[in-house]
Amino acid sequence: MSKTAIITGSGRGIGAAIAKRLAKDGFNIVINELSEEAGQQTAEECRALGIKAAVYAADVSDYAQCEEMVKKAKEEFGTLDVLVNNAGITRDGLLLRMSEENYDAVIRINQKSVFNMTKLVGAIMLRQKSGSIVNLASVAGLYGNPGQMNYSASKGAVIAMTKTAAKELGSRGIRVNAVAPGFIQTPMTDKLTDEQKNAILGQIAMKRYGQPEEIANVVAFLCGEDSSYVTGQIIEISGGLSM
Ligand code: NAD
């Protein structure tokens, strides 16, 4: 029976690139998005690679919606072998100007979603005694970033959650790792001003932004058998932003 991967927030950007890369590797793909419409294009592109794909609309910050989605996906696909916690948002602003609402929204979507999905899919993987979970952290979670108190906090937490889940689930054959991307060209970073983009480029050894596919390649390695003895690790993919 073929293996199945569920990728949150995979209607566009890095999540869509991961879905397509895992489809190419032969996984059936469960696409999660806020609306079903937002995930349909990725689903079609995955199906064109010869695998089965389905879209489930759910807000991953909401436990009950995640529960319903994971139940349906398990019924439809039989197993859930890979979970990629990719959905995320930014609500940037300097600390003294950041609203409580923007702080809470980023923590809920970037951090609590990882608790929701790891608990629910982890329970299925525990019964299967196998699985691989990959979380999308960020260089902001490793080093901090001005204007991103909320985002850095959420991604720092994702790093800690990755290590904790790896320690809890390792003896049952489940590996948990994270990638920490630097600046990747997606709708999330398209919002930055030219001034911000130039300042960032100045700090990158390779003097260019990364592409979503360059994140997907490393995620695919962490999902597959080639990384069978790798767990609890945070792999930075930043073109040499920090060394
Ligand atoms: P993006 O904004 O292009 O895509 C994010 C996707 O997540 C969107 O399709 C959105 O609809 C979905 N989403 C948002 N909230 C959701 C929710 N509550 N439930 C379900 N889906 C939801 O972003 P991206 O650049 O592709 O980023 C993907 C991940 O990579 C994020 O976790 C982000 O923090 C992380 N990351 C991105 C960069 C970068 O430079 N782009 C750098 C470091 C880390």
Side-chain angles (χ1 to χ4, degrees), residues 22-225:
L22 293 180
K24 211 166 123 192
D25 289 352
F27 284 91
N28 288 325
I29 302 294
V30 178
I31 291 150
N32 153 257
E33 256 304 334
L34 282 170
S35 75
E36 212 172 312
E37 209 179 11
Q40 283 306 346
Q41 195 185 327
T42 311
E44 276 166 35
E45 291 176 50
C46 289
R47 284 187 201 113
L49 293 162
I51 53 82
K52 193 174 153 191
V55 183
Y56 292 105
D59 174 348
V60 285
S61 70
D62 183 304
Y63 188 82
Q65 290 187 38
C66 290
E67 200 168 25
E68 181 72 17
M69 169 171 71
V70 171
K71 186 168 166 265
K72 282 194 204 152
K74 169 83 171 82
E75 278 166 12
E76 187 168 344
F77 288 85
T79 65
L80 292 176
D81 306 282
V82 161
L83 163 66
V84 182
N85 283 309
N86 166 82
I89 61 163
T90 50
R91 293 282 183 276
D92 296 352
L94 292 171
L95 174 58
L96 296 188
R97 290 195 210 129
M98 185 176 286
S99 66
E100 185 183 4
E101 190 189 1
N102 280 347
Y103 184 83
D104 289 344
V106 170
I107 298 296
R108 214 174 48 246
I109 293 168
N110 296 6
Q111 177 183 330
K112 192 187 166 217
S113 63
V114 175
F115 166 77
N116 293 344
M117 291 300 291
T118 306
K119 179 175 156 128
L120 289 161
V121 179
I124 293 168
M125 290 176 169
L126 277 173
R127 287 196 290 276
Q128 292 170 184
K129 295 193 173 57
S130 69
S132 175
I133 300 173
V134 181
N135 296 325
L136 270 287
S138 165
V139 290
L142 288 169
Y143 312 117
N145 197 28
Q148 291 197 313
M149 178 67 99
N150 48 5
Y151 187 79
S152 310
S154 71
K155 295 300 186 179
V158 167
I159 289 168
M161 292 162 95
T162 301
K163 293 179 183 177
T164 298
K167 287 183 178 180
E168 282 198 24
L169 304 175
S171 66
R172 310 289 288 273
I174 301 163
R175 298 181 298 107
V176 190
N177 292 287
V179 292
F183 292 87
I184 311 304
Q185 208 170 356
T186 70
M188 183 178 271
T189 45
D190 286 346
K191 291 188 287 194
L192 298 171
T193 63
D194 284 345
E195 198 185 340
Q196 285 171 315
K197 286 180 185 170
N198 287 334
I200 289 162
L201 280 177
Q203 297 168 43
I204 300 174
M206 293 183 75
K207 300 295 169 215
R208 67 168 178 87
Y209 276 93
Q211 294 301 315
E213 293 71 23
E214 295 179 293
I215 305 302
N217 291 340
V218 180
V219 171
F221 163 72
L222 292 171
C223 292
E225 279 306 302

